[in-house]
C-alpha cells in the first residue's frame, strides 16, 4: 500500500511558507511505526506548484491521498482536491488539519474530499490505512471521522480521545525534509 500525505502546493499562490508540516510528519512516522515496510508513505511539502504536485502524485501512484490545510488555504486545498480527483477519480482523498477538524461538513460540501479527520490523526490515519489496505473494519467504527456514505450523506463518528502519552508517538522523519 502507498500513502501520500501532502500540504497544498503553495508556490505561486497567495500564501507561501518555507517550513514542513509537523503534523503530517508525525503521521508519516506513525504509519511507518505501525506497518513497517508493508506500507510506503511519502510526504509532499507545499513548496512546489500545482502541476509539480500533480506529477508527484502521478509518479508515486498512492492508494490513499491525505491533504492537511487550515482556513486560509482552504480555497487552494479545494482546488488541489478537485484536480487530484479529476486525474485519479477512484483515489480516496482524506483531509486533516485545522479546517477539516473544525468544520468537516463544510469541507465535504465544498470539495470532493471523501473523509475528514477530526482532532489528532496519528491513530486515526493508521486505522484508515488498515481499512483501505484490506477492507478491515467499517469507517463508521473508526473514531474521529466525518465522511460521505454510499448515498452521499455526511456521517460523523465518535470523537477520538487525545493521546495521553505524547512521548509514545514516534518522532517525525526530519531526514526527509
Amino acid at each position: 500500500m502507498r500513502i501520500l500525505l501532502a500540504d497544498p502546493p503553495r508556490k505561486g499562490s497567495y500564501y507561501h511558507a518555507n517550513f514542513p508540516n509537523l503534523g503530517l510528519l508525525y503521521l508519516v512516522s506513525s504509519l511507518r511505526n505501525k506497518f513497517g515496510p508493508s506500507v510506503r508513505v511519502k510526504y509532499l511539502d507545499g513548496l512546489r506548484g500545482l502541476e509539480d504536485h500533480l506529477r508527484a502524485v502521478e509518479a508515486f501512484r498512492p492508494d490513499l491521498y491525505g491533504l492537511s490545510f487550515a482556513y486560509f488555504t482552504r480555497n487552494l486545498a479545494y482546488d488541489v482536491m478537485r484536480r487530484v480527483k479529476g486525474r485519479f477519480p477512484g483515489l480516496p482523498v482524506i483531509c486533516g488539519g485545522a479546517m477539516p477538524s473544525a468544520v468537516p461538513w463544510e469541507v465535504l460540501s465544498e470539495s470532493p474530499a471523501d473523509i475528514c479527520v477530526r482532532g489528532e490523526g496519528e491513530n486515526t490515519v493508521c486505522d484508515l490505512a488498515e481499512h483501505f489496505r484490506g477492507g478491515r473494519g467499517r469507517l463508521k467504527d473508526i473514531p474521529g471521522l466525518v465522511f460521505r456514505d454510499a448515498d452521499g450523506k455526511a456521517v460523523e463518528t465518535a470523537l477520538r480521545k487525545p493521546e495521553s502519552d505524547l512521548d509514545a508517538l514516534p518522532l517525525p522523519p526530519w531526514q526527509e525534509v
Side-chain angles (χ1 to χ4, degrees):
M1 172 175 233
R2 296 170 182 263
I3 302 172
L4 189 131
L5 302 174
D7 283 313
R10 297 180 298 261
K11 186 175 182 179
S13 77
Y14 59 92
Y15 177 78
H16 190 73
N18 290 323
F19 52 85
N21 184 321
L22 184 59
L24 286 179
L25 291 173
Y26 269 106
L27 299 183
V28 169
S29 59
S30 294
L31 286 161
R32 289 179 180 164
N33 188 58
K34 177 160 182 148
F35 298 105
S38 69
V39 172
R40 289 193 50 208
V41 186
K42 181 178 175 103
Y43 166 62
L44 194 58
D45 64 41
L47 302 177
R48 60 191 76 228
L50 180 56
E51 289 305 318
D52 285 341
H53 183 95
L54 294 170
R55 280 191 291 275
V57 174
E58 190 164 3
F60 189 66
R61 295 277 186 207
D63 300 299
L64 287 177
Y65 174 84
L67 190 67
S68 176
F69 59 98
Y71 179 79
F72 53 89
T73 57
R74 73 191 181 287
N75 292 326
L76 178 60
Y78 295 163
D79 185 43
V80 171
M81 284 186 274
R82 282 190 287 275
R83 298 283 301 272
V84 167
K85 276 292 200 180
R87 282 200 191 177
F88 313 99
L91 179 62
V93 172
I94 301 165
C95 295
M99 178 83 178
S101 285
V103 287
W105 308 275
E106 180 179 326
V107 172
L108 290 177
S109 70
E110 298 293 323
S111 77
D114 298 299
I115 300 169
C116 289
V117 175
R118 297 184 74 194
E120 297 173 8
E122 289 81 5
N123 293 318
T124 306
V125 75
C126 290
D127 289 347
L128 284 167
E130 280 286 338
H131 170 79
F132 285 103
R133 186 173 176 214
R136 296 183 190 124
R138 299 176 304 183
L139 285 179
K140 71 178 192 167
D141 296 329
I142 299 174
L145 302 180
V146 178
F147 62 94
R148 290 188 187 103
D149 66 11
D151 298 324
K153 181 182 150 202
V155 175
E156 180 179 5
T157 66
L159 290 175
R160 186 178 290 272
K161 292 182 182 178
E163 176 63 52
S164 60
D165 182 10
L166 296 180
D167 291 331
L169 296 174
L171 294 175
W174 287 110
Q175 68 277 12
E176 295 179 32
V177 182

